[in-house]
Amino acid sequence: MPRVSTSRASRLHAALARADAAVARGPASMPAEGTPRALRVVMGDPQANFEHILAILEARGLLGDDGALRPDSQLVIVGDCFDWGPRDERRAVAASALRLLAWSASHPDDAVVMLLGNHDLGRVGELADFTDATFATAQAEADRIYAGDATPESEERAFLARWPQVPNAELVARDFSTWNEAQRDWVTHLLRARRFRAAHAAGPNLLVLHAGVTHEDLDVLGVPGPRRADANVVASALNAALDAAVEAWTSGPLILPGLHAPGNAAEGEGRGIFYQRPSLLPEDAQRVRGTPRRRFDPRRLPAGLVQVVGHTRDKRSRELLQSPGPVRDGVLRHLVTDGTRVEYAHGTPSNPGPREAVLLFTDGAMRECPVEDFELLDLDTRRAALRR
């Protein structure tokens, strides 16, 4: 039945006002309500202006008249709320990302499920010990020398000698370029409140998380082989590891032993379950073996488990999986493997078997994708969500 109480513009205005009020109150989180949700959807990496994100939710009929998510709906966000856009938009992007974080946390935690991505963890990882002032100084230096692959090695070495807590100038100039202390305070609070989660079990064999896990990661967690297709068991193990790390964390970068290691000058780029991507490239054959790592062999995904992930766009997926074909933004994609063959395609798989492992990719390059083309995943149909 169509909604007639308020206009689209009024709902969007109410959502912006709700976000601004939540930002003004400071870091906070709402406990679960236990309310049944008729529609459960996953949103891929929300690295886009907050107004654009709201427009996507409104286009799918998910916003209520009060600017909150409709009470019969659940939204699962796969992580990476921060960092996009050109240098001259950094301040606006930082404020927009904080709006999204605050708006999400203003809902009960069973209404908006907040999962961690590598950009979220960067606030308390590589950048944990910065202040607004020291980050501004480091970023001015990084902006001056960073030129992609053409960054002068001597200047990079000098930069890292001054800022050894980061792995390269690129991270400060581009990858985590919109960091500030307020973001770190919010992420810290949401971690300690156990609102940010490493994984979410959406069904008996349906797991939602940022980048995916393989047998090597489950070995670290001690998950028995016969239980590795049980999403509840895997999610519980991942969240317990996160909670233990947060409990032990008093200062400096947050580390999950064997699972997540922030980058630094001595050890290189960040590695682990929030960074890793599936790869079949020959040059990655050695990189996929140990943990934590930046690449994994998709043939090592646990059979019988469907993992819904973000983190990797279509173009990058095709490069790493050696799967040529047309690149599209906004669409859901899938990888299916029986441990030997690997198939990658747009859309969702028709009927994977119990001996097959599945990745469902939801990162649709949100910022570049028109509102009407960006697909959300319906967790019950396991297809693109339809407008209500």
Side-chain angles (χ1 to χ4, degrees):
M1 186 173 179
R3 294 175 289 163
V4 296
S5 56
T6 61
S7 67
R8 172 183 180 276
S10 295
R11 287 189 289 273
L12 294 174
H13 179 77
L16 291 170
R18 181 186 181 97
D20 289 339
V23 170
R25 287 193 297 269
S29 180
M30 294 284 290
E33 285 183 333
T35 303
R37 313 287 176 182
L39 178 64
R40 303 181 303 146
V41 300
V42 176
M43 172 180 279
D45 303 37
Q47 291 177 306
N49 189 280
F50 183 51
E51 287 90 340
H52 188 72
I53 296 168
L54 291 177
I56 291 171
L57 296 176
E58 170 61 23
R60 302 299 179 272
L62 294 171
L63 281 185
D65 296 341
D66 59 355
L69 201 68
R70 286 180 58 172
D72 62 348
S73 301
Q74 180 187 70
L75 176 66
V76 183
I77 302 175
V78 300
D80 280 1
C81 296
F82 304 100
D83 304 316
W84 68 90
R87 291 180 182 181
D88 60 359
E89 295 180 10
R90 283 171 176 164
R91 187 179 297 273
V93 167
S96 177
L98 202 59
R99 273 176 145 183
L100 169 62
L101 206 66
W103 180 86
S104 301
S106 72
H107 293 77
D109 72 3
D110 54 352
V112 176
V113 177
M114 302 175 68
L115 299 178
L116 281 164
N118 56 301
H119 286 263
D120 311 310
L121 279 168
R123 272 60 205 161
V124 295
E126 290 87 343
L127 306 180
D129 291 330
F130 280 93
T131 65
D132 287 338
T134 57
F135 186 72
T137 300
Q139 190 164 69
E141 294 181 24
D143 287 346
R144 179 179 59 80
I145 68 169
Y146 174 64
D149 292 338
T151 302
E153 290 186 15
S154 60
E155 295 195 31
E156 178 95 25
R157 286 194 299 271
F159 175 83
L160 294 178
R162 289 188 293 273
W163 308 104
Q165 62 268 60
V166 298
N168 48 46
E170 181 178 23
L171 182 137
V172 178
R174 188 180 75 93
D175 294 345
F176 292 173
S177 63
T178 64
W179 180 92
N180 61 37
E181 291 181 45
Q183 296 170 0
R184 182 181 59 205
D185 292 345
W186 270 89
V187 171
T188 299
H189 174 84
L190 295 173
L191 284 166
R192 296 205 181 281
R194 299 190 174 184
R195 180 63 188 268
F196 257 139
R197 300 281 76 194
H200 171 69
N205 76 329
L206 187 59
L207 183 72
V208 190
L209 68 173
H210 186 63
V213 291
T214 69
H215 285 297
E216 287 75 18
D217 306 303
L218 300 180
D219 287 343
V220 173
L221 291 166
V223 177
R227 308 300 303 277
R228 293 183 176 186
D230 187 326
N232 286 289
V233 170
V234 176
S236 294
L238 285 164
N239 290 326
L242 174 65
D243 293 339
V246 171
E247 183 69 24
W249 174 50
T250 57
S251 64
L254 175 63
I255 297 169
L256 279 67
L259 296 171
H260 170 71
N264 56 51
E267 298 176 350
E269 294 181 298
R271 309 175 311 282
I273 61 171
F274 302 99
Y275 278 105
Q276 61 190 12
R277 292 184 167 100
S279 177
L280 294 172
L281 295 176
E283 56 265 37
D284 285 335
Q286 296 299 319
R287 301 175 69 191
V288 302
R289 295 184 177 182
T291 62
R293 62 219 162 152
R294 291 182 65 84
R295 300 287 182 264
F296 66 82
D297 186 337
R299 294 166 294 196
R300 296 291 294 163
L301 293 165
L305 185 65
V306 178
Q307 299 186 60
V308 181
V309 300
H311 190 48
T312 309
R313 299 180 179 185
D314 191 21
K315 182 174 185 288
R316 190 67 173 133
S317 294
R318 291 194 179 280
E319 292 168 352
L320 293 173
L321 296 170
Q322 299 184 300
S323 178
V327 172
R328 291 181 60 192
D329 291 337
V331 298
L332 300 172
R333 299 161 283 122
H334 70 272
L335 178 157
V336 177
T337 180
D338 61 2
T340 302
R341 63 174 177 80
V342 176
E343 298 177 356
Y344 174 80
H346 293 156
T348 55
S350 56
N351 189 27
R355 296 184 179 180
E356 294 179 313
V358 178
L359 289 180
L360 289 177
F361 297 91
T362 63
D363 184 357
M366 184 183 288
R367 186 170 67 93
E368 290 84 12
C369 185
V371 166
E372 61 274 14
D373 294 338
F374 192 87
E375 294 182 342
L376 306 179
L377 176 70
D378 185 319
L379 284 168
D380 294 301
T381 67
R382 303 191 185 186
R383 299 286 185 268
L386 303 175
R387 179 180 171 84
R388 297 189 296 174

